[in-house]
Amino acid sequence: MADTADTQQVDEAEAEGRKQAARAERHVARLAKQIASFAKAHGGAEGQIAYLGQRGARIVLVGEDGEWGDLVAPSHAMAEQAVQKSGITVHESFDGDFAAKVKTGPYEWTRMAGIQLGGPSNA
Protein backbone atom coordinates (compact mmCIF):
# COMPACT_ATOMS: atom_id res chain seq x y z
CA MET A 1 0.00 0.00 0.00
CA ALA A 2 2.83 2.40 0.83
CA ASP A 3 4.47 1.57 -2.51
CA THR A 4 1.35 2.71 -4.38
CA ALA A 5 1.33 6.07 -2.57
CA ASP A 6 5.03 6.60 -3.26
CA THR A 7 4.56 5.76 -6.94
CA GLN A 8 1.61 8.12 -7.19
CA GLN A 9 3.64 10.96 -5.63
CA VAL A 10 6.51 10.34 -8.04
CA ASP A 11 4.10 10.33 -11.00
CA GLU A 12 2.52 13.58 -9.84
CA ALA A 13 5.94 15.19 -9.37
CA GLU A 14 7.02 14.10 -12.85
CA ALA A 15 3.79 15.43 -14.36
CA GLU A 16 4.28 18.75 -12.59
CA GLY A 17 7.88 18.90 -13.83
CA ARG A 18 6.73 18.32 -17.40
CA LYS A 19 4.11 21.07 -17.05
CA GLN A 20 6.71 23.53 -15.78
CA ALA A 21 9.10 22.60 -18.58
CA ALA A 22 6.34 23.09 -21.16
CA ARG A 23 5.47 26.50 -19.65
CA ALA A 24 9.11 27.55 -19.73
CA GLU A 25 9.43 26.41 -23.35
CA ARG A 26 6.37 28.44 -24.35
CA HIS A 27 7.74 31.48 -22.53
CA VAL A 28 11.09 31.15 -24.33
CA ALA A 29 9.28 30.82 -27.68
CA ARG A 30 7.21 33.95 -26.92
CA LEU A 31 10.34 35.94 -25.98
CA ALA A 32 12.16 34.74 -29.12
CA LYS A 33 9.19 35.80 -31.24
CA GLN A 34 9.20 39.28 -29.64
CA ILE A 35 12.95 39.61 -30.19
CA ALA A 36 12.65 38.53 -33.83
CA SER A 37 9.78 40.96 -34.34
CA PHE A 38 11.85 43.82 -32.91
CA ALA A 39 14.79 42.87 -35.14
CA LYS A 40 12.56 42.74 -38.21
CA ALA A 41 11.02 46.13 -37.45
CA HIS A 42 14.41 47.79 -36.94
CA GLY A 43 16.53 46.31 -39.72
CA GLY A 44 18.20 43.78 -37.45
CA ALA A 45 19.15 43.83 -33.81
CA GLU A 46 21.82 43.01 -31.28
CA GLY A 47 21.34 42.33 -27.60
CA GLN A 48 22.82 41.99 -24.16
CA ILE A 49 21.57 39.98 -21.19
CA ALA A 50 21.85 41.43 -17.69
CA TYR A 51 21.06 39.72 -14.38
CA LEU A 52 18.20 41.17 -12.36
CA GLY A 53 18.69 38.90 -9.36
CA GLN A 54 15.64 36.89 -8.31
CA ARG A 55 13.52 38.86 -10.80
CA GLY A 56 15.27 37.15 -13.72
CA ALA A 57 17.25 38.66 -16.58
CA ARG A 58 16.84 41.73 -18.76
CA ILE A 59 17.36 41.40 -22.49
CA VAL A 60 18.38 44.79 -23.91
CA LEU A 61 17.84 45.06 -27.65
CA VAL A 62 19.37 47.65 -29.99
CA GLY A 63 18.11 47.84 -33.54
CA GLU A 64 20.28 48.68 -36.54
CA ASP A 65 18.38 51.98 -36.74
CA GLY A 66 19.43 52.91 -33.18
CA GLU A 67 16.05 52.25 -31.56
CA TRP A 68 16.18 50.20 -28.40
CA GLY A 69 13.95 48.26 -26.08
CA ASP A 70 14.09 45.56 -23.48
CA LEU A 71 12.35 42.42 -22.28
CA VAL A 72 12.48 40.59 -18.96
CA ALA A 73 12.88 36.82 -18.78
CA PRO A 74 12.18 34.83 -15.60
CA SER A 75 15.74 33.43 -15.61
CA HIS A 76 19.09 34.02 -17.25
CA ALA A 77 18.93 30.56 -18.85
CA MET A 78 15.57 31.36 -20.45
CA ALA A 79 16.92 34.69 -21.72
CA GLU A 80 19.91 32.93 -23.30
CA GLN A 81 17.63 30.36 -24.95
CA ALA A 82 15.37 33.11 -26.31
CA VAL A 83 18.17 35.16 -27.87
CA GLN A 84 19.74 32.02 -29.30
CA LYS A 85 16.41 30.96 -30.80
CA SER A 86 15.86 34.44 -32.28
CA GLY A 87 19.26 34.43 -33.96
CA ILE A 88 20.49 37.87 -32.88
CA THR A 89 24.07 38.72 -31.91
CA VAL A 90 24.57 38.87 -28.14
CA HIS A 91 27.21 41.02 -26.46
CA GLU A 92 28.84 40.26 -23.10
CA SER A 93 28.54 43.87 -21.93
CA PHE A 94 26.76 47.06 -22.87
CA ASP A 95 29.69 49.25 -23.83
CA GLY A 96 31.83 50.46 -26.70
CA ASP A 97 30.51 50.23 -30.24
CA PHE A 98 27.37 48.43 -29.09
CA ALA A 99 26.34 51.21 -26.68
CA ALA A 100 27.20 53.85 -29.30
CA LYS A 101 24.48 52.43 -31.59
CA VAL A 102 21.70 53.55 -29.21
CA LYS A 103 19.83 56.67 -30.31
CA THR A 104 18.39 58.74 -27.49
CA GLY A 105 15.80 61.38 -28.12
CA PRO A 106 14.32 64.28 -26.21
CA TYR A 107 12.17 61.98 -24.10
CA GLU A 108 15.17 60.09 -22.70
CA TRP A 109 17.20 63.23 -22.09
CA THR A 110 14.32 65.02 -20.37
CA ARG A 111 13.60 61.94 -18.33
CA MET A 112 17.23 61.56 -17.23
CA ALA A 113 17.53 65.24 -16.37
CA GLY A 114 14.22 65.18 -14.52
CA ILE A 115 15.27 62.27 -12.37
CA GLN A 116 18.82 63.36 -11.62
CA LEU A 117 18.68 67.14 -11.57
CA GLY A 118 15.11 67.93 -10.62
CA GLY A 119 14.32 68.84 -14.23
CA PRO A 120 10.88 68.74 -15.82
CA SER A 121 8.85 65.58 -15.60
CA ASN A 122 7.35 63.87 -18.62
CA ALA A 123 3.82 63.91 -17.31
Side-chain angles (χ1 to χ4, degrees):
M1 184 96 169
D3 289 339
T4 305
D6 289 343
T7 304
Q8 184 178 5
Q9 286 178 342
V10 169
D11 291 343
E12 288 174 4
E14 287 176 0
E16 184 59 32
R18 285 191 300 272
K19 284 181 186 177
Q20 288 179 351
R23 255 186 245 122
E25 192 174 319
R26 286 190 306 270
H27 199 108
V28 166
R30 195 166 37 251
L31 285 168
K33 185 177 178 180
Q34 290 173 313
I35 293 167
S37 176
F38 178 90
K40 184 177 178 182
H42 298 283
E46 299 177 45
Q48 191 261 337
I49 302 172
Y51 284 102
L52 292 177
Q54 289 183 341
R55 175 85 169 108
R58 179 181 185 205
I59 306 167
V60 179
L61 303 169
V62 179
E64 289 301 315
D65 61 359
E67 295 296 319
W68 63 279
D70 64 350
L71 298 166
V72 175
S75 71
H76 194 271
M78 289 174 72
E80 286 179 335
Q81 290 171 6
V83 295
Q84 183 180 17
K85 200 173 205 177
S86 71
I88 66 167
T89 301
V90 181
H91 296 268
E92 290 293 320
S93 61
F94 196 85
D95 61 0
D97 293 334
F98 180 51
K101 289 183 177 185
V102 176
K103 271 198 301 187
T104 53
Y107 172 80
E108 288 84 6
W109 285 105
T110 309
R111 189 83 178 121
M112 287 186 276
I115 291 171
Q116 296 181 6
L117 304 175
S121 68
N122 288 325

